[in-house]
Amino acid sequence: MENLTMEKVVNYAKNYGFIFQGSEIYGGLSNSWDYGPLGTMLKENIRNFWKQKFITENKLNYGLDAAIIMNPNVWIASGHVASFADPLIDCKKCKARHRADHLISEFTKGKETADGWSNEKIEKYITDNKVVCPTCKKSDFTPVRKFNLLFETKIGVVDESKSTVYLRGETAQGIFVNFKNVERAMRAKIPFGICQTGKAFRNEVTPGNFIFRTREFEQMELEFFCKPGTDLEWFKYWKDYCINFLYLIGLDKEKLRFRDHTKEELSFYSKATTDIEYLYPMGWGELWGIADRTDYDLTVHEKHSRKDLHYLDPETHEKYLPYVVEPSIGLDRLFLAVICNAYNEETLDNGDTRELLKINYNLAPYKINVLPLIKKLHNEKAEELFNMLSKKFPISYDESGSIGKRYRRADAIGTPFCITVDDETLNNNTVTIRNRDTTKQDIVNIDDIISYIEEQICV
Ligand code: GAP
């Protein structure tokens, strides 16, 4: 929908039970969000879609579910303890706190990203270009400081024996430390990938834009291990794979673009990195990061753990540290893109507004809504149908209000099919199936409902 605002998305998500403010009855906790009944279902469907395409249907990849709290040496080795930090700056006039790199990209409307710049370079740019504070419009800032994003906690019972551990800042490290386990247990041969979905935690300086940037979020990551020298081919393979995944899930092509990182932005260990960006209501934002990480991760873990992480090619007998290509996407950011992309408002002939979540059928929380036309006449048969169909699909049941209102509610949450039970059902064993997008109605025999629906929801 054109002119969709984030405010509208937040209200919609709350009203229909997708996302609530976290700890709301206590006044909330800033930038924390709880997924409601429909949000939980939609999120699970998106996660399952990713798992289906990246694990089940791709014979190169395996799944993993590593612990959130890991040995702290993992984070020392990976470099997160020393340098997983954002540049922080405060406005001396109004005391507003900003991420200094974001200040520059907002000021230049995205022309400069300041990714990978030193503190000195950021400060000089802000002074030379008189970048202003978005809150008070003055240009008077403190020096830039680095702020580490890892959340610390303690394990152990007694104070003296407690030791510092970290909530994982990304799921990727759980994969790197299990590279050898998966290779051995699965008799995996290079090239192969390991996929993981799960929560990650970052003490973000400036969270915001609803679920776009939060301190607790879910990632879906693939670390793909390949022979050095083949990495750029695989980088291209996964770039194509990821963008096609987003088309398949239903995002509009014109709202997606690649943004290649410049040499200056690239991490020192990366040969190539690109972001797939989506046009959110607040503007273009990173949805998926795809990086050629070379052998950096395995090298540092080999050094710190003193375990041999080399791969021995069973055919050529070559021994090498594999290179890694990593497509990493935030599930919450994809959820937000899916909702923003699918939300629509249509004006009907009678002047009413029809809210419509035109979502991929596979992602819809409920596939079917069963409706008895007249409660006291058709309830029994409709419940029988609900019991039969709910064994096969996630479905809902709605018996209150006019049939038009019930259609509207189903359209608004993206339910693809409404099945109405009426006198024809009792007399002829047929139901009316209404399609969400076309509003076209088909008469279908009860015995054929499952194949009718299955034909339309299989990807
Ligand atoms: N292992 C690589 C990695 O974590 P990243 O670019 O920091 O790379 C990958 O994160 C993806 O995770 C991003 O493209 C984004 O979709 C998501 N993400 C990162 N930080 C986030 C946050 N604070 N809130 C929500 N999603 C986030």
Side-chain angles (χ1 to χ4, degrees):
M1 181 183 134
E2 273 183 36
N3 305 325
L4 180 67
T5 61
M6 202 52 108
E7 195 189 350
K8 177 135 221 158
V9 177
V10 175
N11 288 334
Y12 164 80
K14 178 174 181 179
N15 289 341
Y16 287 102
F18 285 94
I19 298 178
F20 306 125
Q21 190 188 2
S23 321
E24 192 176 343
I25 62 166
Y26 285 95
L29 173 71
S30 64
N31 300 294
S32 115
W33 302 97
D34 296 339
Y35 285 79
L38 293 190
T40 314
M41 293 166 94
L42 174 55
K43 198 175 179 194
E44 191 168 305
N45 291 346
I46 299 176
R47 190 190 296 114
N48 285 340
F49 199 76
W50 182 88
K51 285 186 175 173
Q52 186 190 329
K53 296 295 162 198
F54 279 79
I55 309 175
T56 319
E57 292 179 16
N58 192 310
K59 59 182 190 309
L60 295 166
N61 296 337
Y62 302 94
L64 182 79
D65 186 7
I68 287 179
I69 298 176
M70 305 170 78
N71 186 313
N73 288 327
V74 171
W75 302 103
I76 294 169
S78 66
H80 283 77
V81 171
S83 56
F84 188 45
D86 278 342
L88 187 79
I89 199 167
D90 290 317
C91 171
K92 284 193 194 160
K93 291 284 182 234
C94 73
K95 312 288 178 226
R97 178 155 288 176
H98 305 283
R99 243 181 84 169
D101 51 341
H102 286 181
L103 209 57
I104 293 176
S105 60
E106 275 165 39
F107 183 76
T108 60
K109 299 206 169 37
K111 288 198 187 95
E112 294 283 4
T113 64
D115 265 6
W117 289 13
S118 67
N119 289 2
E120 294 69 34
K121 184 166 176 185
I122 294 176
E123 282 168 16
K124 186 167 174 348
Y125 187 94
I126 289 176
T127 315
D128 291 354
N129 294 280
K130 298 201 171 38
V131 175
V132 294
C133 165
T135 318
C136 70
K137 312 289 176 225
K138 299 279 184 316
S139 183
D140 188 6
F141 294 102
T142 61
V144 173
R145 293 159 347 265
K146 289 283 184 207
F147 177 75
N148 194 288
L149 301 182
L150 281 182
F151 272 107
E152 280 184 17
T153 186
K154 304 270 183 211
I155 47 170
V157 199
V158 204
D159 267 353
E160 312 84 71
S161 68
K162 280 184 183 171
S163 54
T164 300
V165 288
Y166 305 97
L167 300 185
R168 67 180 174 205
E170 58 175 13
T171 57
Q173 298 305 323
I175 297 181
F176 296 128
V177 301
N178 277 293
F179 164 66
K180 273 289 172 191
N181 281 336
V182 174
E183 188 220 305
R184 198 170 32 239
M186 306 312 291
R187 295 181 299 127
K189 292 206 180 94
I190 295 281
F192 72 89
I194 306 176
C195 294
Q196 173 163 224
T197 72
K199 288 264 171 139
F201 304 84
R202 295 181 188 176
N203 201 357
E204 294 280 356
V205 177
T206 51
N209 278 322
F210 194 27
I211 53 169
F212 180 82
R213 189 181 307 282
T214 49
R215 297 194 170 100
E216 174 184 341
F217 56 97
E218 191 165 336
Q219 289 187 312
M220 305 193 289
E221 299 200 286
L222 158 67
E223 307 302 325
F224 190 77
F225 301 90
C226 61
K227 191 172 176 187
T230 63
D231 46 315
L232 286 175
E233 273 164 55
W234 285 111
F235 179 71
K236 176 163 183 340
Y237 171 90
W238 288 112
K239 259 176 80 171
D240 293 345
Y241 201 91
C242 293
I243 198 83
N244 284 324
F245 172 89
L246 296 174
Y247 296 155
L248 198 59
I249 216 167
L251 299 188
D252 292 340
K253 287 190 177 175
E254 63 277 11
K255 289 193 176 148
L256 289 165
R257 71 179 186 193
F258 284 109
R259 193 185 70 77
D260 292 333
H261 285 210
T262 60
K263 272 209 174 115
E264 201 175 24
E265 281 174 83
L266 279 182
S267 308
F268 68 91
Y269 52 77
S270 177
K271 258 167 89 175
T273 299
T274 195
D275 294 337
I276 302 181
E277 297 185 332
Y278 179 77
L279 186 56
Y280 291 96
M282 71 282 182
W284 290 99
E286 175 187 333
L287 172 60
W288 211 328
I290 304 161
D292 179 341
R293 300 179 64 106
T294 64
D295 59 0
Y296 171 75
D297 304 278
L298 291 182
T299 304
V300 293
H301 285 304
E302 190 171 71
K303 183 168 157 231
H304 283 255
S305 67
R306 299 206 189 92
K307 297 282 182 315
D308 182 3
L309 300 182
H310 278 68
Y311 173 76
L312 178 63
D313 189 309
E315 273 142 38
T316 64
H317 305 292
E318 277 176 277
K319 206 174 173 197
Y320 58 84
L321 266 189
Y323 270 32
V324 171
V325 175
E326 174 197 67
S328 168
I329 186 168
L331 175 53
D332 311 79
R333 277 195 198 176
L334 182 54
F335 184 109
L336 183 60
V338 164
I339 294 243
C340 293
N341 204 85
Y343 183 82
N344 245 300
E345 283 175 4
E346 290 176 6
T347 308
L348 303 176
D349 293 343
N350 64 2
D352 284 358
T353 301
R354 168 166 107 114
E355 275 189 301
L356 176 65
L357 194 70
K358 211 171 170 185
I359 201 170
N360 179 323
Y361 290 172
N362 289 275
L363 302 187
Y366 297 117
K367 309 297 177 220
I368 302 169
N369 191 19
V370 174
L371 319 166
L373 183 63
I374 301 168
K375 190 172 161 186
K376 58 177 189 277
L377 296 182
H378 307 121
N379 221 7
E380 206 176 311
K381 189 70 186 167
E383 279 191 20
E384 208 180 282
L385 199 61
F386 177 90
N387 291 336
M388 191 255 287
L389 293 173
S390 60
K391 295 193 172 53
K392 213 60 201 160
F393 309 102
I395 73 177
S396 56
Y397 188 86
D398 193 356
E399 57 183 19
S400 57
S402 72
I403 200 80
K405 285 219 172 91
R406 285 184 268 167
Y407 283 160
R408 283 301 91 76
R409 277 200 292 265
D411 292 343
I413 60 167
T415 306
F417 304 103
C418 281
I419 301 187
T420 307
V421 173
D422 54 19
D423 285 347
E424 290 298 313
T425 319
L426 305 183
N427 300 330
N428 298 325
N429 211 38
T430 58
V431 291
T432 308
I433 306 189
R434 172 189 175 272
N435 181 288
R436 175 196 74 192
D437 302 333
T438 60
T439 70
K440 196 173 137 279
Q441 306 196 354
D442 287 333
I443 308 291
V444 179
N445 191 289
I446 286 190
D447 300 335
D448 299 329
I449 297 177
I450 292 179
S451 54
Y452 176 96
I453 305 283
E454 274 179 346
E455 263 168 34
Q456 300 185 64
I457 62 173
C458 286
V459 181

